[in-house]
Amino acid sequence: YKGDPAKGKLIVDQVCAACHGADGNSAASANPTLAGQHQKYLYEQLKAFKAGTRKNPIMMGMASPLSDDDMWNVSAYFSQQKVKPREAADKTQMPLGKKMYTGGNFGTKVPACMACHGPAGAGMPDKFPRLGAQHAAYIVKQLNDFKAGTDRQNQTMADIASRMSDAEMKAVAEYVSGL
Ligand code: HEM
Ligand code: HEM
């Protein structure tokens, strides 16, 4: 891919670091960790915020002044940062979370997340975003956004999220945060 991480860092330091962390490991659970996320995925999300097809008031404002090159550059920078492993905060969620992640729910036709997002949550470049060490609260919000289909549209994830209970979402999000 194109994208110059050194140029990206200039933008990150001035604009994005406040919420996502200078090295892409964010502190607040509403702000996703971007470190180690696949470059093309990051770029596509920024394009979607700018186009208004993924709706988030903060990020639409952040993406709108970025040029196409800027978006490649910041995506290159964040994708090359190391994601800091974290521990799941609520260990009581691990049994159900692990069951959903590795096996899904046969009865309600929820597939195993692992099939696409990988056994260790690393995803797959160009295809599936990494989920490992992501904030649980952010994951739960995205699942609800996919389910509602207004702020974020993706057919695959909408089908999956709409079959999940709130308890399953919470549990799988906690599990993923510790991967
Ligand atoms: C989400 C990039 C600045 C708050 C995202 C995502 C990307 C991104 C790629 C989607 C991540 C994913 O799908 O996993 C950037 C860049 C920035 C920037 C490149 C600087 C130009 C900021 C700032 C804030 C912020 C300054 C806080 C004021 C958020 C929030 C979300 C988000 C809350 C989650 C939105 C949702 O719930 O869908 N950002 N960001 N970002 N960002 Fe930023
Ligand atoms: C995106 C969770 C299963 C394909 C996402 C995101 C989350 C998520 C939280 C957004 C990541 C971010 O914002 O950084 C889950 C969970 C699953 C599951 C909990 C199991 C219950 C699957 C499966 C597939 C899949 C089985 C493939 C068939 C995708 C794709 C995206 C995505 C393509 C990117 C969507 C976009 O570009 O907006 N998933 N996932 N997921 N997932 Fe899943």
Side-chain angles (χ1 to χ4, degrees):
Y1 292 127
K2 47 188 192 167
D4 177 342
K7 285 185 184 158
K9 186 178 190 305
L10 299 175
I11 297 172
V12 169
D13 283 346
Q14 287 198 30
V15 190
C16 330
C19 295
H20 294 287
D23 67 353
N25 287 279
S26 82
S29 63
N31 304 335
T33 276
L34 304 178
Q37 185 55 277
H38 307 299
Q39 186 186 355
K40 179 109 185 299
Y41 171 79
L42 292 172
Y43 169 78
E44 295 294 346
Q45 298 313 304
L46 289 168
K47 267 200 354 188
F49 285 128
K50 184 165 177 163
T53 50
R54 179 173 171 183
K55 297 183 180 60
N56 177 267
I58 298 171
M59 278 311 303
M60 288 162 84
M62 293 297 153
S64 81
L66 300 180
S67 69
D68 201 62
D69 281 344
D70 291 340
M71 292 194 265
W72 280 115
N73 294 343
V74 293
S75 300
Y77 174 77
F78 279 129
S79 68
Q80 290 175 23
Q81 304 310 302
K82 266 213 156 33
V83 60
K84 288 201 187 107
R86 299 185 318 120
E87 271 198 37
D90 184 353
K91 296 280 199 307
T92 65
Q93 302 286 344
M94 292 304 98
L96 178 58
K98 184 173 186 181
K99 178 179 170 288
M100 292 305 297
Y101 194 80
T102 59
N105 184 334
F106 186 77
T108 52
K109 298 201 177 91
V110 177
C113 319
M114 186 176 84
C116 296
H117 295 283
M124 205 188 278
D126 297 358
K127 289 200 168 71
F128 308 115
R130 76 166 283 123
L131 302 179
Q134 187 55 273
H135 296 286
Y138 169 78
I139 301 259
V140 169
K141 178 178 182 287
Q142 298 315 303
L143 291 171
N144 281 307
D145 284 355
F146 284 129
K147 182 176 183 172
T150 41
D151 292 352
R152 191 166 184 184
Q153 278 144 5
N154 177 268
Q155 195 58 55
T156 303
M157 282 309 305
D159 286 345
I160 292 169
S162 61
R163 297 166 197 271
M164 293 175 78
S165 69
D166 289 351
E168 288 174 337
M169 287 185 185
K170 167 102 178 84
V172 82
E174 282 292 338
Y175 178 77
V176 154
S177 73
L179 280 180

Short mmCIF file of all heavy atoms in Angstrom, two decimals, residues 125-173:
data_model
loop_
_atom_site.label_atom_id
_atom_site.label_comp_id
_atom_site.label_asym_id
_atom_site.label_seq_id
_atom_site.Cartn_x
_atom_site.Cartn_y
_atom_site.Cartn_z
N PRO A 125 -5.53 -9.29 7.02
CA PRO A 125 -5.34 -8.07 6.24
C PRO A 125 -6.25 -8.07 5.01
O PRO A 125 -6.42 -9.11 4.38
CB PRO A 125 -3.87 -8.14 5.82
CG PRO A 125 -3.22 -9.06 6.79
CD PRO A 125 -4.28 -10.02 7.25
N ASP A 126 -6.82 -6.93 4.70
CA ASP A 126 -7.68 -6.74 3.52
C ASP A 126 -9.05 -7.37 3.66
O ASP A 126 -9.89 -7.16 2.80
CB ASP A 126 -7.05 -7.31 2.22
CG ASP A 126 -5.77 -6.60 1.85
OD1 ASP A 126 -5.40 -5.65 2.57
OD2 ASP A 126 -5.16 -6.99 0.86
N LYS A 127 -9.28 -8.17 4.71
CA LYS A 127 -10.56 -8.86 4.78
C LYS A 127 -11.31 -8.59 6.08
O LYS A 127 -12.43 -8.10 6.06
CB LYS A 127 -10.36 -10.37 4.63
CG LYS A 127 -9.96 -10.79 3.24
CD LYS A 127 -10.25 -12.27 3.04
CE LYS A 127 -10.16 -12.68 1.58
NZ LYS A 127 -8.77 -12.68 1.10
N PHE A 128 -10.67 -8.89 7.20
CA PHE A 128 -11.36 -8.83 8.49
C PHE A 128 -10.53 -8.04 9.49
O PHE A 128 -9.34 -8.33 9.67
CB PHE A 128 -11.61 -10.25 9.01
CG PHE A 128 -12.29 -11.14 8.01
CD1 PHE A 128 -11.65 -12.25 7.49
CD2 PHE A 128 -13.57 -10.84 7.57
CE1 PHE A 128 -12.27 -13.05 6.55
CE2 PHE A 128 -14.20 -11.63 6.62
CZ PHE A 128 -13.56 -12.75 6.11
N PRO A 129 -11.15 -7.07 10.18
CA PRO A 129 -10.38 -6.27 11.15
C PRO A 129 -9.91 -7.10 12.34
O PRO A 129 -10.52 -8.10 12.70
CB PRO A 129 -11.38 -5.20 11.60
CG PRO A 129 -12.73 -5.74 11.28
CD PRO A 129 -12.56 -6.64 10.10
N ARG A 130 -8.81 -6.66 12.95
CA ARG A 130 -8.38 -7.31 14.17
C ARG A 130 -9.29 -6.84 15.30
O ARG A 130 -9.77 -5.70 15.30
CB ARG A 130 -6.90 -7.08 14.47
CG ARG A 130 -6.47 -5.75 15.01
CD ARG A 130 -5.03 -5.79 15.58
NE ARG A 130 -5.00 -6.42 16.87
CZ ARG A 130 -4.26 -7.49 17.19
NH1 ARG A 130 -3.47 -8.03 16.31
NH2 ARG A 130 -4.31 -8.01 18.39
N LEU A 131 -9.53 -7.73 16.26
CA LEU A 131 -10.38 -7.40 17.41
C LEU A 131 -9.60 -7.55 18.72
O LEU A 131 -10.02 -7.01 19.75
CB LEU A 131 -11.61 -8.32 17.48
CG LEU A 131 -12.58 -8.36 16.28
CD1 LEU A 131 -13.69 -9.37 16.56
CD2 LEU A 131 -13.17 -6.99 15.99
N GLY A 132 -8.49 -8.26 18.68
CA GLY A 132 -7.74 -8.56 19.90
C GLY A 132 -7.31 -7.30 20.63
O GLY A 132 -6.84 -6.35 20.01
N ALA A 133 -7.50 -7.30 21.95
CA ALA A 133 -7.11 -6.20 22.84
C ALA A 133 -7.91 -4.92 22.61
O ALA A 133 -7.54 -3.85 23.08
CB ALA A 133 -5.61 -5.92 22.76
N GLN A 134 -9.03 -5.04 21.89
CA GLN A 134 -9.90 -3.87 21.71
C GLN A 134 -10.75 -3.66 22.98
O GLN A 134 -11.06 -4.61 23.69
CB GLN A 134 -10.80 -4.08 20.49
CG GLN A 134 -11.62 -2.89 20.08
CD GLN A 134 -10.76 -1.65 19.85
OE1 GLN A 134 -10.48 -0.91 20.80
NE2 GLN A 134 -10.32 -1.44 18.61
N HIS A 135 -11.14 -2.42 23.23
CA HIS A 135 -11.98 -2.12 24.40
C HIS A 135 -13.35 -2.80 24.26
O HIS A 135 -14.01 -2.69 23.23
CB HIS A 135 -12.21 -0.62 24.53
CG HIS A 135 -10.96 0.14 24.79
ND1 HIS A 135 -10.32 0.14 26.00
CD2 HIS A 135 -10.22 0.94 23.99
CE1 HIS A 135 -9.25 0.90 25.95
NE2 HIS A 135 -9.15 1.40 24.73
N ALA A 136 -13.78 -3.47 25.34
CA ALA A 136 -15.06 -4.18 25.32
C ALA A 136 -16.23 -3.23 25.04
O ALA A 136 -17.13 -3.55 24.27
CB ALA A 136 -15.26 -4.92 26.64
N ALA A 137 -16.21 -2.06 25.66
CA ALA A 137 -17.33 -1.12 25.47
C ALA A 137 -17.45 -0.69 24.01
O ALA A 137 -18.56 -0.56 23.47
CB ALA A 137 -17.16 0.10 26.37
N TYR A 138 -16.32 -0.48 23.37
CA TYR A 138 -16.33 -0.11 21.95
C TYR A 138 -16.91 -1.25 21.10
O TYR A 138 -17.72 -1.03 20.20
CB TYR A 138 -14.91 0.25 21.47
CG TYR A 138 -14.82 0.39 19.96
CD1 TYR A 138 -15.28 1.53 19.31
CD2 TYR A 138 -14.31 -0.65 19.17
CE1 TYR A 138 -15.24 1.65 17.93
CE2 TYR A 138 -14.27 -0.55 17.79
CZ TYR A 138 -14.72 0.60 17.17
OH TYR A 138 -14.69 0.71 15.80
N ILE A 139 -16.50 -2.50 21.41
CA ILE A 139 -17.01 -3.67 20.66
C ILE A 139 -18.52 -3.78 20.79
O ILE A 139 -19.23 -3.98 19.80
CB ILE A 139 -16.35 -4.97 21.19
CG1 ILE A 139 -14.84 -4.92 21.06
CG2 ILE A 139 -16.97 -6.20 20.51
CD1 ILE A 139 -14.24 -5.63 19.90
N VAL A 140 -19.03 -3.64 22.02
CA VAL A 140 -20.47 -3.74 22.24
C VAL A 140 -21.20 -2.67 21.42
O VAL A 140 -22.22 -2.95 20.77
CB VAL A 140 -20.82 -3.61 23.74
CG1 VAL A 140 -22.32 -3.44 23.94
CG2 VAL A 140 -20.32 -4.83 24.52
N LYS A 141 -20.66 -1.46 21.41
CA LYS A 141 -21.31 -0.38 20.63
C LYS A 141 -21.34 -0.71 19.14
O LYS A 141 -22.36 -0.51 18.47
CB LYS A 141 -20.61 0.96 20.86
CG LYS A 141 -21.26 2.07 20.01
CD LYS A 141 -20.64 3.44 20.23
CE LYS A 141 -21.36 4.51 19.41
NZ LYS A 141 -21.06 4.45 17.96
N GLN A 142 -20.23 -1.26 18.64
CA GLN A 142 -20.21 -1.57 17.20
C GLN A 142 -21.23 -2.66 16.87
O GLN A 142 -21.91 -2.59 15.84
CB GLN A 142 -18.80 -2.02 16.76
CG GLN A 142 -17.73 -0.96 16.94
CD GLN A 142 -18.16 0.42 16.48
OE1 GLN A 142 -18.54 0.59 15.32
NE2 GLN A 142 -18.11 1.40 17.36
N LEU A 143 -21.34 -3.68 17.74
CA LEU A 143 -22.30 -4.75 17.48
C LEU A 143 -23.72 -4.18 17.45
O LEU A 143 -24.52 -4.51 16.58
CB LEU A 143 -22.16 -5.87 18.53
CG LEU A 143 -20.85 -6.68 18.44
CD1 LEU A 143 -20.70 -7.61 19.64
CD2 LEU A 143 -20.79 -7.49 17.14
N ASN A 144 -24.01 -3.28 18.39
CA ASN A 144 -25.34 -2.65 18.39
C ASN A 144 -25.54 -1.75 17.18
O ASN A 144 -26.64 -1.66 16.63
CB ASN A 144 -25.56 -1.88 19.69
CG ASN A 144 -25.94 -2.81 20.84
OD1 ASN A 144 -26.87 -3.59 20.73
ND2 ASN A 144 -25.19 -2.75 21.93
N ASP A 145 -24.47 -1.07 16.75
CA ASP A 145 -24.57 -0.23 15.55
C ASP A 145 -24.82 -1.07 14.30
O ASP A 145 -25.62 -0.69 13.44
CB ASP A 145 -23.29 0.61 15.37
CG ASP A 145 -23.20 1.79 16.33
OD1 ASP A 145 -24.17 2.02 17.09
OD2 ASP A 145 -22.17 2.48 16.33
N PHE A 146 -24.13 -2.21 14.19
CA PHE A 146 -24.36 -3.09 13.04
C PHE A 146 -25.81 -3.59 13.06
O PHE A 146 -26.47 -3.65 12.03
CB PHE A 146 -23.42 -4.31 13.10
CG PHE A 146 -21.98 -4.04 12.70
CD1 PHE A 146 -20.93 -4.42 13.53
CD2 PHE A 146 -21.66 -3.43 11.49
CE1 PHE A 146 -19.60 -4.21 13.16
CE2 PHE A 146 -20.34 -3.21 11.11
CZ PHE A 146 -19.30 -3.60 11.95
N LYS A 147 -26.26 -3.96 14.26
CA LYS A 147 -27.62 -4.49 14.41
C LYS A 147 -28.66 -3.46 13.99
O LYS A 147 -29.60 -3.76 13.26
CB LYS A 147 -27.83 -4.90 15.88
CG LYS A 147 -29.17 -5.52 16.19
CD LYS A 147 -29.18 -5.96 17.65
CE LYS A 147 -30.49 -6.66 18.01
NZ LYS A 147 -30.42 -7.24 19.37
N ALA A 148 -28.47 -2.21 14.43
CA ALA A 148 -29.43 -1.14 14.10
C ALA A 148 -29.33 -0.75 12.63
O ALA A 148 -30.32 -0.38 12.00
CB ALA A 148 -29.19 0.07 15.00
N GLY A 149 -28.12 -0.80 12.08
CA GLY A 149 -27.94 -0.52 10.66
C GLY A 149 -28.07 0.94 10.25
O GLY A 149 -28.14 1.22 9.06
N THR A 150 -28.12 1.84 11.21
CA THR A 150 -28.23 3.25 10.84
C THR A 150 -26.86 3.93 10.78
O THR A 150 -26.50 4.52 9.77
CB THR A 150 -29.16 4.02 11.81
OG1 THR A 150 -28.88 3.59 13.14
CG2 THR A 150 -30.61 3.75 11.51
N ASP A 151 -26.09 3.81 11.87
CA ASP A 151 -24.78 4.48 11.90
C ASP A 151 -23.69 3.68 11.19
O ASP A 151 -22.69 4.24 10.74
CB ASP A 151 -24.35 4.72 13.35
CG ASP A 151 -25.22 5.75 14.03
OD1 ASP A 151 -26.05 6.37 13.34
OD2 ASP A 151 -25.07 5.94 15.26
N ARG A 152 -23.88 2.37 11.12
CA ARG A 152 -22.85 1.53 10.51
C ARG A 152 -23.49 0.38 9.76
O ARG A 152 -24.26 -0.38 10.35
CB ARG A 152 -21.91 1.00 11.61
CG ARG A 152 -20.68 0.35 11.04
CD ARG A 152 -19.59 0.10 12.04
NE ARG A 152 -18.43 -0.43 11.33
CZ ARG A 152 -17.31 -0.85 11.88
NH1 ARG A 152 -17.18 -0.78 13.19
NH2 ARG A 152 -16.32 -1.30 11.14
N GLN A 153 -23.18 0.28 8.47
CA GLN A 153 -23.81 -0.75 7.64
C GLN A 153 -22.79 -1.75 7.11
O GLN A 153 -21.83 -1.37 6.45
CB GLN A 153 -24.54 -0.09 6.47
CG GLN A 153 -25.91 0.41 6.88
CD GLN A 153 -26.30 1.70 6.19
OE1 GLN A 153 -25.59 2.18 5.33
NE2 GLN A 153 -27.43 2.25 6.59
N ASN A 154 -23.03 -3.01 7.45
CA ASN A 154 -22.24 -4.10 6.88
C ASN A 154 -23.13 -5.33 6.97
O ASN A 154 -23.55 -5.73 8.05
CB ASN A 154 -20.93 -4.30 7.66
CG ASN A 154 -20.13 -5.47 7.13
OD1 ASN A 154 -20.26 -6.61 7.60
ND2 ASN A 154 -19.30 -5.23 6.13
N GLN A 155 -23.44 -5.92 5.81
CA GLN A 155 -24.43 -7.00 5.77
C GLN A 155 -24.01 -8.20 6.63
O GLN A 155 -24.81 -8.72 7.41
CB GLN A 155 -24.65 -7.43 4.31
CG GLN A 155 -25.89 -8.28 4.13
CD GLN A 155 -27.16 -7.57 4.60
OE1 GLN A 155 -27.45 -6.46 4.15
NE2 GLN A 155 -27.89 -8.17 5.53
N THR A 156 -22.74 -8.60 6.50
CA THR A 156 -22.27 -9.77 7.25
C THR A 156 -22.43 -9.55 8.74
O THR A 156 -23.01 -10.39 9.45
CB THR A 156 -20.77 -10.03 6.94
OG1 THR A 156 -20.62 -10.20 5.53
CG2 THR A 156 -20.24 -11.25 7.66
N MET A 157 -21.93 -8.42 9.23
CA MET A 157 -21.97 -8.17 10.67
C MET A 157 -23.38 -7.84 11.15
O MET A 157 -23.72 -8.13 12.30
CB MET A 157 -20.97 -7.07 11.05
CG MET A 157 -19.52 -7.56 11.12
SD MET A 157 -19.27 -9.04 12.12
CE MET A 157 -19.99 -8.55 13.69
N ALA A 158 -24.21 -7.29 10.28
CA ALA A 158 -25.61 -7.01 10.68
C ALA A 158 -26.35 -8.33 10.89
O ALA A 158 -27.08 -8.49 11.88
CB ALA A 158 -26.30 -6.17 9.62
N ASP A 159 -26.15 -9.29 9.98
CA ASP A 159 -26.80 -10.60 10.13
C ASP A 159 -26.39 -11.25 11.45
O ASP A 159 -27.22 -11.83 12.15
CB ASP A 159 -26.38 -11.54 8.98
CG ASP A 159 -27.06 -11.16 7.66
OD1 ASP A 159 -28.04 -10.39 7.70
OD2 ASP A 159 -26.61 -11.65 6.61
N ILE A 160 -25.10 -11.16 11.76
CA ILE A 160 -24.58 -11.80 12.97
C ILE A 160 -25.09 -11.07 14.22
O ILE A 160 -25.64 -11.69 15.13
CB ILE A 160 -23.04 -11.83 12.93
CG1 ILE A 160 -22.58 -12.80 11.82
CG2 ILE A 160 -22.45 -12.22 14.28
CD1 ILE A 160 -21.10 -12.74 11.49
N ALA A 161 -24.93 -9.76 14.25
CA ALA A 161 -25.29 -9.00 15.46
C ALA A 161 -26.78 -9.06 15.75
O ALA A 161 -27.20 -9.06 16.91
CB ALA A 161 -24.82 -7.54 15.32
N SER A 162 -27.59 -9.13 14.70
CA SER A 162 -29.04 -9.14 14.93
C SER A 162 -29.52 -10.46 15.53
O SER A 162 -30.65 -10.54 16.01
CB SER A 162 -29.79 -8.83 13.64
OG SER A 162 -29.49 -9.80 12.67
N ARG A 163 -28.68 -11.48 15.49
CA ARG A 163 -29.04 -12.78 16.11
C ARG A 163 -28.49 -12.91 17.52
O ARG A 163 -28.70 -13.93 18.18
CB ARG A 163 -28.49 -13.93 15.28
CG ARG A 163 -29.07 -14.03 13.89
CD ARG A 163 -28.21 -14.97 13.05
NE ARG A 163 -28.48 -14.80 11.64
CZ ARG A 163 -29.42 -15.47 10.97
NH1 ARG A 163 -30.15 -16.35 11.61
NH2 ARG A 163 -29.60 -15.26 9.69
N MET A 164 -27.74 -11.92 17.97
CA MET A 164 -27.09 -12.03 19.28
C MET A 164 -27.90 -11.35 20.38
O MET A 164 -28.48 -10.29 20.15
CB MET A 164 -25.69 -11.40 19.24
CG MET A 164 -24.71 -12.16 18.34
SD MET A 164 -23.12 -11.31 18.21
CE MET A 164 -22.37 -11.76 19.78
N SER A 165 -27.91 -11.97 21.57
CA SER A 165 -28.53 -11.33 22.73
C SER A 165 -27.56 -10.30 23.31
O SER A 165 -26.36 -10.34 23.02
CB SER A 165 -28.86 -12.38 23.79
OG SER A 165 -27.66 -12.89 24.34
N ASP A 166 -28.10 -9.41 24.14
CA ASP A 166 -27.24 -8.43 24.82
C ASP A 166 -26.18 -9.14 25.66
O ASP A 166 -25.02 -8.71 25.72
CB ASP A 166 -28.07 -7.52 25.74
CG ASP A 166 -28.93 -6.55 24.93
OD1 ASP A 166 -28.75 -6.46 23.69
OD2 ASP A 166 -29.79 -5.87 25.54
N ALA A 167 -26.58 -10.22 26.32
CA ALA A 167 -25.64 -10.95 27.18
C ALA A 167 -24.50 -11.57 26.35
O ALA A 167 -23.35 -11.56 26.78
CB ALA A 167 -26.39 -12.04 27.96
N GLU A 168 -24.85 -12.07 25.18
CA GLU A 168 -23.82 -12.65 24.30
C GLU A 168 -22.86 -11.57 23.80
O GLU A 168 -21.65 -11.78 23.72
CB GLU A 168 -24.47 -13.37 23.11
CG GLU A 168 -25.14 -14.68 23.51
CD GLU A 168 -25.91 -15.32 22.36
OE1 GLU A 168 -26.31 -14.61 21.40
OE2 GLU A 168 -26.14 -16.54 22.44
N MET A 169 -23.41 -10.41 23.48
CA MET A 169 -22.55 -9.30 23.00
C MET A 169 -21.56 -8.89 24.08
O MET A 169 -20.36 -8.74 23.83
CB MET A 169 -23.40 -8.09 22.62
CG MET A 169 -24.18 -8.25 21.33
SD MET A 169 -25.00 -6.69 20.95
CE MET A 169 -25.96 -7.18 19.51
N LYS A 170 -22.08 -8.71 25.28
CA LYS A 170 -21.24 -8.28 26.39
C LYS A 170 -20.13 -9.30 26.66
O LYS A 170 -18.96 -8.96 26.85
CB LYS A 170 -22.13 -8.09 27.62
CG LYS A 170 -21.45 -7.94 28.96
CD LYS A 170 -21.43 -6.48 29.38
CE LYS A 170 -20.80 -6.27 30.76
NZ LYS A 170 -19.35 -6.17 30.75
N ALA A 171 -20.52 -10.58 26.67
CA ALA A 171 -19.56 -11.64 26.99
C ALA A 171 -18.48 -11.77 25.92
O ALA A 171 -17.29 -11.86 26.24
CB ALA A 171 -20.30 -12.98 27.17
N VAL A 172 -18.88 -11.73 24.66
CA VAL A 172 -17.88 -11.91 23.60
C VAL A 172 -16.96 -10.68 23.54
O VAL A 172 -15.76 -10.80 23.27
CB VAL A 172 -18.55 -12.22 22.23
CG1 VAL A 172 -19.05 -10.97 21.54
CG2 VAL A 172 -17.59 -13.00 21.34
N ALA A 173 -17.50 -9.52 23.86
CA ALA A 173 -16.68 -8.30 23.86
C ALA A 173 -15.61 -8.37 24.96
O ALA A 173 -14.46 -7.99 24.75
CB ALA A 173 -17.56 -7.06 24.04
#
